[in-house]
Structures are given as C-alpha cells and as structure tokens.
Amino acid sequence: MRSDAAETWALLKPYGRPRLAALVLVVLLGMVTATAQSAVILLIQPVWSQVLFPAEEEAAAAPPAAQDAAKDEKEKKEEPAVISRAFAGLGRWMVAKGIVGDFRLGVLYALTAIALVLGLVGAATQYGFTWLARRVSFQMIVDLRMALARHLMGLSIRYHNQRRFGDLLSRVSSDVTTTLVAVNVALRDLLLEPLFALTTLVGAFFIAPVLMLGILVLLLLAMVPVRKLTARVRRGSRKSLTSLGASVQALTQMFQGIRTVKSFGSEERELARYREINEQYVKTSMRMVRAIAMTHAWTALYSVAGVALLMLLLGLGQILFGFFDTGGTAATLLIFVARFNNHIKNCAKGLTRVEESVGATARIQELLAEPTDVREAEHPAPLAGLGTGIRFEDVTFRYPGSDLPAIANLNLHVQPGETLALVGPSGAGKSTLVDLVARFVDPSAGRITVDGVDLRQVAKETWTARYALVGQTPFLFHASIGENIRYGKPAATPAEIEAAARAADIHSFIAGLPEGYETDVADMGARLSGGQRQRITIARAILKGAPLLLLDEATSSLDSESEAEVQAALDRLMAGHTVIVIAHRLSTVQNADRIAVLEEGRLVELGSHDELVRRGGTYARLSSLQHLGAPA
C-alpha cells in the first residue's frame, strides 16, 4: 500500500474518472484565472514609465515631427519592454485621434480598461473554478460514501460481529470528511496555487531570466525540508485518526449501554475512561501537530529569508550589472517574486493538509480491502420456490481464527412445509446454521442446496425474497410503526399493513395510540415493550409473505405473558410455511415436526419430541432439566 499523498488519489481515482471532463475544465478555468490575475502585474511597468514617471519631453517649441522622432529614439533606449512600448503607442494614437488631450491620460485610460477586463475575466473564471471544483469533490465523496456503504453491506455477518462499531462509524464519517477536505485543498492549493506560481514565474522570467533561474534553484533546495516534514505529518495522521476512532468507539458503547451504565451508577467511571482515551488522542495528535508547526515555521522562515535574499540579489545585480533599465521593470519583478513566494508558501501548506489526510485515506482503504466472503454468483441460477426443500450436504463451517468448526460435516434435509426445531447447549452451532441458511455466511466445505440448486449459485436478492427472519432481539427503525411493518414489503398498501398487524395480534394496540400507525417508535423502538416490538417484527415477516421462516429464539427474551402473546402470533405466522426455529425453551418447539439436536456443531439426534425423549439422549436430558417430562 502506498504511503504518500498518491494514496488519496488512488482511492478517489475510480470516482474521478467519470468526471474527467469536469476536472479538465477545472484545470482550464484555473489556468485562465491564474493568467488573468498575474497579467495585471505586467501593467505596473507601463503605469510606472508612461504615467507616473514619464521620460522628459523635448522642448515644446521643437517641431512636431522632430519631437516625435526624439521621443521614439528615447523610448527605444529607455523602454525596451514590449508592453510599455505598446501602451505608449496606444496613448499617442488616442491623442492623434482626439480621444484624449494628454498622452499620459490616454495610457492611463487604456491600462485601466485592460485591468478591469482582466479583473472581470479572472473573477468569472475564479467563480467557475471554485463552484465546479467543489461540486466535483462533493460528488466524488458521495460516490465514495456509497461505495463504502455498499461494500460494508456486502460483508458477511462474520465481519459485522467482529467489527468495532464506533471505529467503523469514525471511518465512514470523520475519515471520509477528512478526505473531502483533502480533495478541496488539493484542487485549491495544489492545483490553483501552482498555476498562480507558474504564471508569476513566467512573468518574472520574461523580465529577468538569469536572476529567476537562480531563485528557482534556491526554491527547490528550500522544499527538501518541507517534504521531509510532511512525511512526518503523514505518519502522525494515521495514529491520530486511529486514536479518534477509539474515542468514538468508547462514546458509542457508553450510550448504547446507557441503561447498564446508569443501573450500576458508573457514569463517572465511564466519563473518566472516555477522558483518558481523549487525552491519548490529544497526545497522539500533538506529535503530528509538531510536524505541521515545523512545516509552517520553515515556510515562514523561507519567506522572510527569501525576501532578504531577493533584495540582496536585486541590489547586487543592479549595482554590478545594471539589470534594470527602469524603475518600473524592477517594481514589476519585485511584485512577481513576492506573489510567487506567497503562492509557493500556500502550496506547502496545502501539501501538509493533504498529507494530514493520508491516514484517513489508508483507514478507508482498509475497509474497502476487507474481503467479501459471501459473493454474488456471476451467472445466477433461477429459483422459483423451495421445491424439494433445503439440504445440507457434508456442510462444515469454521470461523476465521477458530481451531474448531462451528458446524461439522452436517447432513440434513429440511422438507417443504415442515417445522424443524434446532436445540442444543449454547455454542452448539444453532445460530450458525440459521446464518448459513440465510446466507449471512457461506460453508467452508460442503454445500447447501434449495430444490437441488447450490445456494451460492442463487442471486442474493432472489434468495432473501424466499425467507423471513425473526430474531431474538427485535430491531425497529427510528420511524413510524407503519413504516417499520412496511419494511417487509415496500409497496404494501395501508390495508395490507393493517392485515399483517391483525395477524400478529398488534393492531388493537396500534389503533389505541393517538397517532396510530404513524406513531414514531423512537430509536430501536425504545417507546415500546419487548413483546410489542417483537409482534411488530412478526407483522413485518407476515407482510413479506416468504415461504420460509427463520425464527431465532424469538421468545426467549420475553416475560411469560408477552411470550404467550408472541407465541400465538408466531403460530399463526408458521401455518403453511417451512420453518426453521431455534429455541432454548423446549416447550415452544415440542410440537415441531422434527427436532434436530446439535452438540459442538454436530447433528447428534433427529426426530420428534416423543421419539427423542424415548431415546434418553441429549434431548431427553435437556427436557428433564426443563421439566417437560416423558411422553404419555
């Protein structure tokens, strides 16, 4: 992975390529802006020599022809500059045509008009440059955010179970924003400022090429320390942003667990831990800040020393070699060099800002480089329904970094229309099996087929339309109840939403609310009880109308009354569907068609409740512990 500012360009190149024409136009607008603004400086020379300090005229009594000849001869000797001679000719032409009565007024009016035209052109192109550059940068960053979100959504549940949410949030928000700042700085300070520097340098070379060549060599030598210092900024940027991610992670965790924090009276303890992490962030960031400060200090020293050196060179050049034939030439050169020096200083600061963003770029690249282990089939196979059912054929699944498989050599046939219950001790592999069916993860070995088709060959969208999942912890979006139910079928009508709510036995409760289905449930459904939230998720699943139901301990976190209400809703939902259900409470699954008993990822028993109790194995032991008793 590259470790310099090219990293930012490498990240953004895919999003800049579709906007290549706009970027080229940005460059052209910048060139016109820089040329127009720098060209104004060239007007100083004719103002000086033709208006402010004109050459002495010949005696007024001299014949006009002789006067003009003498004036031309004097200008040839004292005004070799093309621009100055051009304006002098323009001034004489205006006098000859009777437009003005004074030669100097003619030159002054012409210079003023040209300066205004250049100002208008420069202002218009500056506006266009800023508007278009910002628009392109915003569009590129939006594309980056979407690509990042799409990539993260495509990663498996394995990744999302391991990731640190706060740090992930920091990367998607803070790091992307930092990258946006870098793009804006790059387009302004690393594109427009160099163009300004180039045009002023060309103007200065036009006046004093030998002198400017020497200044340019000194400039290149002065940039060596800047490059070394910005490398230190780059290294510090990564550490600083990583520390910021830890801070956001701590804050996120603190508020996600606010009930636990308050129940233990740990507010001050959590705040103290948060302060400690933030102080570490400050400590880490200040190492980078020291490098930034050194860069700015060096450019400030270079600026002052550069002016002193320029004065020395100009003075020696004039004294020893007579570089300048007029004061206007010297003044123009001084302004060109001063502007050039200022633009170079802005370039150095811009380079520092871009290097400061490289850490953010690297962290984003890490996310984008995270491998997608559940891949979309290149040529998806059609799938009309569940057909002959779902088969596990020698399926093994191992989580990365784990020595033991979560599922080992599983062979199982889930028949169409049956209810299959998964039971077993914690860590037996029940949730992993459901994740495999939902295709949150793919098998490490073996295959899962639906109607004889390998699940990996079915389009994800096609398969997710075939099942509905109701989990242990009901999740509701911060939206209205109606919108949360409609999530199962975005095009559902109000009548369909109400029918689903009635089937889930939640309609009466919703109708009794002041705002009914428009009631906002707050963050994660905080305004509702656990049973109410679960029945809304069941209504969502009913509305989806999928033939396969995956129930992951849907009643385990509820009290007895809520469990009974939710179980009644689930029984209505399960009717006429193929169901795979996980349950710790065996009472909720003893009427299942078959019960699969898992231990350490292996299928150890399979049969009905009565059959398994008679066998006296693992299921019978679990039943005894839950006082279900033997079959009658």
Side-chain angles (χ1 to χ4, degrees):
M1 187 176 289
R2 280 165 285 190
S3 59
D4 55 16
E7 185 74 27
T8 302
W9 169 242
L11 174 67
L12 295 173
K13 185 165 62 174
Y15 317 111
R17 190 178 295 116
R19 299 177 176 87
L20 185 59
L23 288 171
V24 170
L25 182 56
V26 167
V27 174
L28 293 175
L29 288 171
M31 292 175 64
V32 175
T33 300
T35 302
Q37 295 188 23
S38 297
V40 174
I41 301 174
L42 292 173
L43 303 182
I44 293 173
Q45 192 175 43
V47 168
W48 184 291
S49 59
Q50 300 293 339
V51 178
L52 298 178
F53 306 104
E56 292 184 1
E57 299 290 341
E58 294 293 337
Q67 189 177 29
D68 290 342
K71 195 177 295 184
D72 288 342
E73 184 65 24
K74 195 169 186 64
E75 286 166 2
K76 288 179 182 179
K77 291 179 179 179
E78 297 183 356
E79 301 295 343
V82 174
I83 296 176
S84 185
R85 291 202 303 270
F87 276 99
L90 182 59
R92 287 194 298 274
W93 176 83
M94 293 175 71
V95 171
K97 293 295 183 179
I99 299 174
V100 294
D102 189 294
F103 166 80
R104 290 189 298 174
L105 281 178
V107 173
L108 182 60
Y109 292 159
L111 287 168
T112 303
I114 295 296
L116 287 174
V117 170
L118 290 173
L120 288 172
V121 170
T125 54
Q126 175 76 71
Y127 174 86
F129 173 89
T130 302
W131 185 89
L132 187 58
R134 290 298 179 93
R135 179 177 176 82
V136 169
S137 63
F138 282 135
Q139 289 175 330
M140 290 170 63
I141 292 302
V142 166
D143 285 352
L144 173 60
R145 286 186 192 276
M146 290 304 301
L148 195 55
R150 186 178 299 279
H151 180 72
L152 290 171
M153 291 291 283
L155 296 179
S156 69
I157 292 296
R158 173 195 63 78
Y159 170 80
H160 289 283
N161 287 339
Q162 295 174 342
R163 57 105 172 102
R164 301 170 67 206
F165 178 69
D167 183 67
L168 179 64
L169 190 63
S170 175
R171 297 188 190 212
V172 176
S173 58
S174 176
D175 290 2
V176 172
T177 300
T178 300
T179 303
L180 171 61
V181 172
V183 174
N184 288 330
V185 169
L187 290 175
R188 185 187 67 234
D189 293 344
L190 299 186
L191 175 59
L192 190 57
E193 290 294 337
L195 288 173
F196 276 130
L198 178 62
T199 52
T200 54
L201 185 64
V202 169
F205 262 106
F206 179 73
I207 296 173
V210 176
L211 181 61
M212 288 310 301
L213 186 61
I215 292 175
L216 186 59
V217 171
L218 292 174
L219 169 69
L220 294 175
L221 293 175
M223 293 302 293
V224 173
V226 172
R227 188 60 183 168
K228 291 183 177 180
L229 288 169
T230 53
R232 289 174 56 188
V233 173
R234 180 176 61 244
R235 291 191 296 269
S237 169
R238 177 67 180 273
K239 295 178 181 179
S240 174
L241 289 169
T242 300
S243 183
L244 177 61
S247 172
V248 177
Q249 169 67 20
L251 186 67
T252 302
Q253 185 170 273
M254 184 165 61
F255 286 113
Q256 282 182 330
I258 189 66
R259 293 176 65 86
T260 302
V261 171
K262 285 186 172 294
S263 68
F264 283 92
S266 301
E267 292 93 338
E268 291 302 322
R269 188 198 317 170
E270 290 298 321
L271 288 171
R273 187 168 67 91
Y274 184 55
R275 173 179 287 279
E276 182 181 347
I277 293 173
N278 277 283
E279 286 176 349
Q280 180 61 39
Y281 165 66
V282 172
K283 183 179 178 180
T284 303
S285 298
M286 286 309 296
R287 297 193 188 104
M288 178 183 67
V289 170
R290 283 195 290 271
I292 294 173
M294 283 296 295
T295 304
H296 292 174
W298 172 254
T299 54
L301 174 62
Y302 159 76
S303 298
V304 176
V307 171
L309 182 61
L310 176 63
M311 290 190 298
L312 177 63
L313 292 175
L314 291 179
L316 291 175
Q318 183 65 13
I319 293 170
L320 300 178
F321 305 105
F323 274 161
F324 309 112
D325 48 12
T326 68
T329 303
T332 304
L333 179 64
L334 281 170
I335 294 176
F336 267 131
V337 173
R339 290 282 296 271
F340 175 75
N341 183 65
N342 189 55
H343 294 315
I344 291 298
K345 183 168 64 174
N346 290 338
C347 288
K349 289 182 178 180
L351 180 61
T352 303
R353 292 289 300 278
V354 171
E355 293 290 2
E356 194 177 343
S357 75
V358 171
T361 301
R363 282 160 50 85
I364 294 172
Q365 287 280 39
E366 278 186 358
L367 288 184
L368 293 174
E370 186 70 31
T372 303
D373 46 7
V374 177
R375 299 181 179 276
E376 186 70 86
E378 290 186 11
H379 304 287
L383 183 68
L386 300 183
T388 58
I390 304 169
R391 289 184 180 274
F392 292 78
E393 301 176 3
D394 293 319
V395 171
T396 295
F397 178 79
R398 179 180 284 101
Y399 287 101
S402 175
D403 296 331
L404 298 175
I407 296 292
N409 305 113
L410 178 67
N411 288 280
L412 180 63
H413 180 203
V414 183
Q415 299 171 4
E418 80 164 330
T419 295
L420 176 72
L422 304 176
V423 301
S426 297
K430 305 183 295 296
S431 294
T432 301
L433 190 149
V434 169
D435 285 351
L436 285 164
V437 174
R439 214 181 163 212
F440 294 156
V441 293
D442 279 338
S444 305
R447 67 175 191 159
I448 302 171
T449 65
V450 180
D451 196 22
V453 180
D454 191 325
L455 200 54
R456 286 171 290 201
Q457 298 304 314
V458 178
K460 293 180 185 178
E461 184 179 2
T462 299
W463 178 236
T464 54
R466 301 292 183 271
Y467 72 79
L469 173 65
V470 180
Q472 177 180 357
T473 304
F475 177 82
L476 298 181
F477 295 94
H478 195 151
S480 70
I481 292 175
E483 288 175 297
N484 271 284
I485 296 175
R486 186 182 285 110
Y487 201 77
K489 184 180 177 183
T493 64
E496 290 175 315
I497 293 172
E498 182 178 326
R502 288 182 182 278
D505 196 21
I506 192 67
H507 171 73
S508 297
F509 165 75
I510 299 172
L513 296 172
E515 297 181 63
Y517 283 86
E518 296 303 315
T519 302
D520 193 307
V521 301
D523 194 20
M524 298 182 69
R527 295 181 180 176
L528 307 177
S529 70
Q532 291 162 350
R533 290 197 298 269
Q534 192 65 291
R535 278 180 286 167
I536 288 175
T537 64
I538 291 171
R540 180 193 295 166
I542 292 172
L543 186 62
K544 186 175 184 180
L548 173 65
L549 296 177
L550 304 176
L551 307 178
D552 188 356
E553 303 184 66
T555 62
S556 63
S557 61
L558 305 176
D559 57 65
S560 298
E561 183 177 354
S562 296
E563 179 184 5
E565 294 172 345
V566 170
Q567 189 61 52
L570 285 173
D571 290 341
R572 288 190 291 273
L573 173 62
M574 293 163 63
H577 290 80
T578 302
V579 182
I580 299 177
V581 53
I582 298 175
H584 280 307
R585 299 177 186 176
L586 302 186
S587 59
T588 62
V589 297
Q590 57 184 324
N591 293 324
D593 296 312
R594 289 189 301 164
I595 299 173
V597 183
L598 299 176
E599 279 191 306
E600 296 181 350
R602 298 181 182 278
L603 179 63
V604 295
E605 293 179 333
L606 182 65
S608 67
H609 168 77
D610 292 345
E611 291 170 347
L612 295 178
V613 170
R614 289 193 194 98
R615 290 181 191 174
T618 300
Y619 184 82
R621 176 173 56 82
L622 294 173
S623 296
S624 177
L625 290 173
Q626 296 188 24
H627 308 292
L628 295 184

